[in-house]
Amino acid sequence: MTRWLASVQSLDEAQSLIEHLPDILDMKNPSQGALGALTHQTVTEIVRWVNHRCLCSATVGDLTMQADILSAAISDMAATGVDYVKIGIFDEPDLSRCIEQLESTIKAIHTPVIAVMFADQLPAQKMIPTLAKAGFAGVMLDTAIKNGQGLLDHLSIGTLKRFVVEAKSAGLLCGLAGALTIENIQQLSPLEADYLGFRSALCHQQTRTSFLDPELAKQIHSQMNAGMPKAKTG
């Protein structure tokens, strides 16, 4: 069953979702890029407030593909108590080598790490086997440039289906995000990704940097759970 993820930028936003908590509460700073990071203090406060009522994830920021920088960021964010740490995978010359060098860090911590690739800036090389070998727990697709174009503006349903199948065949969790709308749920649910991620659809006029609207979250929650049993989060 496909679960849903909601990205929040503050404790206030997280608390506004108390009546309709997502399966995964994701923490990021949308004003700082595709995967802008919140402070470790803010993430820790949100994790403590959630208190295991749902899963939590957090991004480490739009960082360069240097293993030493990413290793430190992964370890520091894992220390906040999140269930998943998310890092961006950018198409830089030493990408594969960087991923390989992250293996020791990823396998040394107890927090699963999710790799985020971008539909509008896909790496030239096939990364899923490399990510699986390095110990990543999952992979997702998002969009790097937040200009109103969504995931389906960049990749076809057929391409997304192949991505989901490849990820699951490699034993990885699989997520789809990128300016998704409530209308996209019906299109994407048959692909059977593990989760769909939302931020702009939860905000007025789909402006991802504005404050989250609990009523829009309620609509996403209802659509995702229509006719389906509640997802287990523990």
Side-chain angles (χ1 to χ4, degrees):
M1 186 188 74
T2 301
R3 301 172 293 173
W4 75 289
L5 172 154
S7 291
V8 299
Q9 61 182 336
S10 66
L11 177 59
D12 285 345
E13 282 196 348
Q15 291 173 332
S16 76
L17 295 178
I18 184 61
E19 298 297 328
H20 304 286
L21 283 173
D23 297 293
I24 303 176
L25 189 71
D26 182 55
M27 289 163 265
K28 69 172 62 171
N29 184 346
S31 67
Q32 297 295 318
L35 297 179
L38 295 175
T39 66
H40 296 141
Q41 179 181 347
T42 298
V43 173
T44 300
E45 289 174 350
I46 295 173
V47 169
R48 288 174 178 169
W49 173 80
V50 169
N51 193 27
H52 306 292
R53 284 175 290 196
C54 67
L55 297 173
C56 293
S57 64
T59 61
V60 300
D62 292 341
L63 301 179
T64 186
M65 295 289 97
Q66 294 183 29
D68 56 343
I69 293 174
L70 286 168
S71 291
I74 290 169
S75 298
D76 289 346
M77 192 58 77
T80 64
V82 292
D83 297 290
Y84 298 102
V85 173
K86 294 165 58 181
I87 71 168
I89 302 299
F90 297 95
D91 192 19
E92 298 180 12
D94 292 330
L95 175 57
S96 293
R97 178 174 171 78
C98 173
I99 297 303
E100 292 167 0
Q101 291 175 333
L102 289 176
E103 181 175 354
S104 59
T105 296
I106 290 172
K107 293 185 176 179
I109 64 174
H110 298 292
T111 307
V113 181
I114 307 296
V116 182
M117 295 195 293
F118 300 99
D120 47 346
Q121 297 179 8
L122 281 175
Q125 61 267 54
K126 290 184 176 292
M127 292 305 303
I128 287 179
T130 304
L131 293 168
K133 184 178 179 181
F136 281 79
V139 61
M140 69 177 295
L141 280 175
D142 201 336
T143 51
I145 300 174
K146 303 301 183 179
N147 58 1
Q149 289 196 316
L151 183 68
L152 289 169
D153 293 310
H154 298 286
L155 299 176
S156 69
I157 290 290
T159 298
L160 295 174
K161 178 63 175 178
R162 288 191 291 274
F163 172 81
V164 172
V165 170
E166 184 179 1
K168 290 192 171 187
S169 296
L172 300 177
L173 290 171
C174 178
L176 301 175
L180 299 186
T181 66
I182 191 169
E183 291 78 17
N184 292 150
I185 294 173
Q186 187 173 4
Q187 297 170 282
L188 296 176
S189 291
L191 304 186
E192 299 183 335
D194 291 297
Y195 61 94
L196 301 180
F198 300 90
R199 171 63 196 179
S200 56
L202 305 175
C203 302
H204 287 296
Q205 298 182 329
Q206 295 207 345
T207 303
R208 66 192 296 269
T209 53
S210 65
F211 195 78
L212 184 149
D213 183 345
E215 181 57 34
L216 294 175
K218 178 181 178 180
Q219 294 174 23
I220 297 288
H221 179 89
S222 298
Q223 184 72 16
M224 288 297 300
N225 289 279
M228 297 185 291
K230 178 65 179 174
K232 296 181 179 179
T233 58

